[in-house]
Amino acid sequence: MKLRNNTGPVKWILILLVSLFLAVFLILPLVYILMTALGKGFGVYRASITDPYAVKALLLTLKATLWAVTVNTIFGIAAAWCLTKYAFRGKKIISTLIDLPVTASPIIAGLIYVLTFGRQSFLYPILDSRGIQIIFAVPGIILATIFVTFPFISRELIPVLTAQGTDEEEAAALMGAGTLTIFRRVTFPHIKWALLYGIVLCTARAMGEFGASAGKNQYTAALYRTFVPGI
C-alpha cells in the first residue's frame, strides 16, 4: 500500500487535531501530575513515596502485576495457539469470552468474585477449612488483576498467528520436528515482538488498574454486604 504524499491543508489539519488531542488528554494531565507531586519540593515527594504504607502498596501492586503477567502470558500463548491452529466447535464462543473482561466493569468483576468466594458461596466452607482466604486478601486482588488483563496478550498474538498460517509448522512436522521444537524454532520468531508488546500492555494495565479495581471491588463488596449480610 502506497502512502499519500499530500501537502495540502487536510494533512496539516489532521496533524493539528491529533496533536491537540494528545496534548489535552495525555500530555496536559501528565504535566499537571508532575507539577502537583513536586509542588512542595522534592523532599516532600521523597518522604511520600518512601512512606511504609506507600511502599507496601507499591510492593503489592508489583506482586499482583507479576502474577497477572505470568499467568496471562501462559494463557495468551495457549489461547492464541488454540484459536489459530485448530478447528473445533465453539471456537467463536471462546473468542468472545476472551474479550469479556474488556467490556465488563471492574465493579461487576468484584461482585463476581464476592459471589464466587464469599461466605454465601458453596466454596467458602472448603476454603475456610483449609485456611484459604480469597476475598479481602492478596489472592482476591491477584484474581481481579488477572481478570481485567488477560485479553491483552492473546489479542496481540492472534492476528500475527492468523497471518502466519500453518504451512511452516506443517512442513516442520513432516520433517520430524516435535511440538516444542516447532514452537521454539518456527512459531516464536514470528510472534516475539507481538508477545513483547502484549506483555507491555498487560503490565501497564495491571499496574494502572490495581488502584481502581481495588477501590471499586471494595465498593462492590460494601453494596453487596448491604443486601446480603455476612459475606
Side-chain angles (χ1 to χ4, degrees), residues 39-55:
K40 295 183 180 179
F42 185 77
V44 176
Y45 172 76
R46 183 175 59 185
S48 299
I49 63 175
T50 55
D51 181 80
Y53 291 103
V55 173

Side-chain angles (χ1 to χ4, degrees), residues 3 15 43 85 202:
L3 296 178
I15 293 175
K85 303 301 181 181
C202 183

Side-chain angles (χ1 to χ4, degrees), residues 123-134:
L123 294 175
Y124 181 79
I126 301 174
L127 297 174
D128 186 58
S129 63
R130 291 167 172 77
I132 301 174
Q133 184 179 359
I134 304 295

Side-chain angles (χ1 to χ4, degrees), residues 132-184:
I132 301 174
Q133 184 179 359
I134 304 295
I135 302 300
F136 307 117
V138 174
I141 295 175
I142 293 174
L143 287 175
T145 306
I146 292 173
F147 178 83
V148 299
T149 57
F150 81 79
F152 285 90
I153 295 178
S154 60
R155 280 306 166 195
E156 293 301 323
L157 295 179
I158 288 174
V160 178
L161 289 174
T162 301
Q164 178 193 359
T166 60
D167 293 341
E168 296 181 14
E169 284 93 347
E170 290 174 356
L174 290 174
M175 296 175 64
T179 302
L180 293 179
T181 303
I182 293 174
F183 177 80
R184 182 168 53 89

Side-chain angles (χ1 to χ4, degrees), residues 41-117:
F42 185 77
V44 176
Y45 172 76
R46 183 175 59 185
S48 299
I49 63 175
T50 55
D51 181 80
Y53 291 103
V55 173
K56 289 181 179 180
L58 177 60
L59 292 177
L60 181 57
T61 302
L62 293 176
K63 183 177 182 179
T65 301
L66 180 61
W67 273 101
V69 172
T70 302
V71 172
N72 288 329
T73 299
I74 298 173
F75 169 81
I77 294 174
W81 185 289
C82 175
L83 292 175
T84 57
K85 303 301 181 181
Y86 300 99
F88 56 92
R89 292 183 178 179
K91 178 187 289 190
K92 292 184 179 180
I93 296 176
I94 294 178
S95 181
T96 303
L97 291 176
I98 290 176
D99 292 330
L100 183 62
V102 177
T103 59
S105 167
I107 296 178
I108 301 302
L111 181 60
I112 290 172
Y113 284 113
V114 169
L115 291 171
T116 305
F117 300 106

